[in-house]
Amino acid sequence: MMNVLMISPGYPADMPEFTRGLRESGARVFGVGDQHAGGLPDLVRHSLSDYIQVSSLWDAPRVIAELTQKLRGRDLDRIECLWEPGVMLAAELREHFGVKGMNVEHARLFRDKEAMKVALDKAGIRTPRHVAVDSVAGCWEAAESIGFPLILKPIDGAGSADTYRVNSREELRATLPRLRHVPRISIEEFIDGEEYTFDTITIDGEIAYYNIAWYRPRPLIARSNEWISPQVIALHDVDDPDLAGGTKMGFEVIKALDFETGFTHMEWYRKADGEVVFGEIGGRPPGAHQVDQMKYACDFDVFKAWGQALTLGKILEPFRRRYNVATIFKRARGVGRITRIDGIDELQSRFGEHVVWSTLSPPGTPRRDWLKTLVSDGFVMLRHPDIKATMEMADAVGTEIQMYAE
C-alpha cells in the first residue's frame, strides 16, 4: 500500500474530495496542516490514516523538523499538495525526504511566471512578450520595451489577484502604487482574445484526461466589474476545430515543462485571427469548483481518477464527455446581509432538470467580498449537451437572478 502525505487535506473546499479519492484508490493517506484535527471536515478525518498538526505550514524548516520527528518509522511514497501556496513546500519536503516527484527547481517552473515563460520560449511556444521586474524603474523600462496595453501581475500569483491591465503611461503611474507589496512582478503584452483552460491528469508525462473550460468573460474583466455574474463553462466538444490550437499547445507545454504525474491547470488565449497564446500553468487543479464541473461533464469521479493516477499509474474510472457544464457566480447588490433573491423560483421551474448544484447564499447571510473570492455569494451550476442551450441558460441565470444585501 502506498503511503501518501497530503498537505492541507481540509482546505481549500475541494481538498476533502481529493483526500477521499486517494484513500479510495488504495493509498494510506497522512495529512499535514496547521489547523486542529478537530476542525477537519468529517470526510477528511474518515479518509486519513493519521493527521500531523504542525505549528505553521509557511515555515518550511520547522515543518521539516516536526515531520521528521512525527514520521519516524514511516516511509513516504509521495508528497502531494493541490493548493497553490503549498506547491513549493511540497517540493522542499520531497527533496528532504527523498520522495519521487517535482523538486524545488522543477516546481518553480509552475510557480514563477517568468521562469515558466522563459522555458516555453525556448521550446518555441508562443507566450506574451514579458519581463520580470523588481523596481519602479524596471517597470517603466519594460513598458517602453513591450508597449501598451500591458498586463501587470505577481510572479507567483494565483487567479487574477493583483493583476491589472494598463493602457497608457498615466494608467501605469496610477497602478504602480497598488503593487508596492508585491516584491517582483511580471509585465506582459496584453493579449486580446477569448480565454480558456486546458486542465489535465497526467501520468508519467502522458495526458490521461483533459478538460477545456471557457471563461465568460475573461477573468480580468469579471474582476474589474462588480455587476458581472462571471461564468465558467466546461466544454462538451473538446474536439471543436476552434480549440485545436489550444489543445495542441497544452500537450506541448506538458512536454516542454517535463510534467510527470498529477493535475495541471493551464490558461490560454485564442485571438480573433485564430492565433493561440499561452497564459500560465499551475501544477495543481483549478479552483472555484471547476473540478466538480469535470465530474458533472463526464459523470465520473475525477477525484478518485486523480488518486488512481498517483497510486496505480492508470485511470480505472470510466468517463465519457456528455455535457457542457456552466457555473454562474452571483454577486449581491448592496452591502451587509443578503435580504432577498429574485428570479430563482421562475428559473428553477424553467431549467430545474439541468441544474446540478446551487449554493446561493440564503437571506441573512453576510455578503462576501467579491474582490477576494470568485465564488462570491454562491453559484448555480447547470449542464446540457448543447452549447447554445447551455449559454442561454447561463445568461438567464446571470441576468434574471438578482441578489440584494443591506
Side-chain angles (χ1 to χ4, degrees):
M1 181 178 288
M2 181 177 285
N3 291 333
V4 181
L5 182 70
M6 184 76 166
I7 298 173
S8 189
Y11 183 86
D14 50 3
M15 290 307 110
E17 289 288 351
F18 281 109
T19 306
R20 172 195 60 80
L22 270 177
R23 177 183 63 82
E24 292 184 358
S25 300
R28 185 183 292 111
V29 188
F30 301 98
V32 58
D34 49 17
Q35 81 180 106
H36 190 274
L40 293 172
D42 288 344
L43 181 58
V44 175
R45 288 190 281 108
H46 293 152
S47 300
L48 294 178
S49 295
D50 197 3
Y51 178 72
I52 300 169
Q53 182 180 350
V54 294
S55 305
S56 171
L57 278 179
W58 315 123
D59 183 346
R62 193 165 183 176
V63 171
I64 289 172
E66 293 179 6
L67 282 176
T68 300
Q69 180 182 14
K70 295 175 182 178
L71 284 173
R72 286 176 179 170
R74 297 169 176 167
D75 292 326
L76 297 174
D77 297 293
R78 296 199 70 93
I79 297 174
E80 298 297 324
C81 185
L82 300 178
W83 184 27
E84 185 79 14
V87 167
M88 295 307 296
L89 171 63
E92 290 187 60
L93 294 181
R94 291 187 198 106
E95 286 192 357
H96 179 83
F97 291 105
V99 174
K100 179 181 178 181
M102 286 196 294
N103 60 22
V104 171
E105 181 180 1
H106 194 183
R108 188 166 286 116
L109 294 179
F110 294 86
R111 283 289 286 151
D112 184 318
K113 292 178 173 57
E114 181 65 15
M116 175 192 304
K117 291 183 173 69
V118 168
L120 296 180
D121 291 341
K122 292 178 180 177
I125 293 171
R126 168 72 159 102
T127 69
R129 298 192 305 278
H130 55 93
V131 178
V133 301
D134 58 7
S135 68
V136 171
C139 289
W140 285 107
E141 290 175 8
E144 292 297 331
S145 172
I146 296 172
F148 295 99
L150 296 166
I151 293 292
L152 279 63
K153 62 174 70 172
I155 283 290
D156 59 355
S160 54
D162 291 316
T163 298
Y164 300 93
R165 172 181 172 174
V166 296
N167 299 304
S168 64
R169 294 177 62 86
E170 291 72 24
E171 289 187 13
L172 179 59
R173 187 175 292 107
T175 301
L176 287 177
R178 303 179 194 174
L179 291 166
R180 283 176 181 157
H181 63 289
V182 181
R184 194 160 169 255
I185 67 173
S186 177
I187 297 187
E188 301 178 1
E189 165 195 8
F190 173 74
I191 303 297
D192 189 8
E194 297 287 347
E195 187 168 353
Y196 299 89
T197 76
F198 182 79
D199 312 299
T200 81
I201 298 176
T202 298
I203 304 172
D204 294 330
E206 299 295 327
I207 295 175
Y209 164 81
Y210 69 89
N211 169 75
I212 297 176
W214 177 23
Y215 294 126
R216 299 182 75 219
R218 55 188 297 172
L220 188 61
I221 295 174
R223 194 177 179 83
S224 303
N225 297 275
E226 185 177 5
W227 62 270
I228 289 177
S229 295
Q231 300 177 20
V232 181
I233 302 180
L235 297 171
H236 171 211
D237 185 9
V238 297
D239 296 321
D240 184 331
D242 285 345
L243 304 175
T247 300
K248 179 175 180 290
M249 174 181 283
F251 275 79
E252 292 171 347
V253 168
I254 293 295
K255 181 178 180 180
L257 297 183
D258 197 23
F259 188 84
E260 295 179 355
T261 300
F263 230 118
T264 64
H265 169 57
M266 186 184 96
E267 294 173 335
W268 59 280
Y269 308 97
R270 185 178 186 275
K271 298 169 63 176
D273 63 4
E275 183 186 21
V276 296
V277 184
F278 173 83
E280 58 187 64
I281 188 171
R284 45 83 182 175
H289 298 287
Q290 289 185 52
V291 179
D292 291 294
Q293 285 189 313
M294 301 176 206
K295 175 181 71 175
Y296 287 116
C298 300
D299 278 335
F300 87 122
D301 189 343
V302 64
F303 304 99
K304 189 174 179 179
W306 168 78
Q308 292 169 347
L310 265 60
T311 60
L312 305 176
K314 56 186 175 180
I315 294 177
L316 301 180
E317 292 295 296
F319 64 88
R320 181 167 64 90
R321 303 182 197 278
R322 301 181 61 195
Y323 302 99
N324 302 284
V325 181
T327 305
I328 308 93
F329 301 95
K330 298 300 298 181
R331 299 164 178 172
R333 299 182 181 184
V335 295
R337 294 182 179 272
I338 305 297
T339 55
R340 75 177 197 271
I341 305 175
D342 292 347
I344 190 168
D345 292 338
E346 179 182 350
L347 286 182
Q348 181 65 28
S349 67
R350 288 161 57 192
F351 307 141
E353 65 179 299
H354 304 291
V355 175
V356 295
W357 196 5
S358 177
T359 69
L360 299 180
S361 298
T365 305
R367 189 194 171 187
R368 299 191 185 110
D369 185 344
W370 68 279
L371 288 172
K372 293 182 178 179
T373 170
L374 174 60
V375 174
S376 298
D377 297 306
F379 59 81
V380 175
M381 189 180 293
L382 52 84
R383 68 181 185 178
H384 195 282
D386 180 72
I387 185 61
K388 183 178 179 181
T390 304
M391 292 168 62
E392 289 175 350
M393 290 190 292
D395 289 346
V397 170
T399 58
E400 297 177 32
I401 291 181
Q402 297 295 334
M403 304 177 69
Y404 299 90
E406 60 182 45

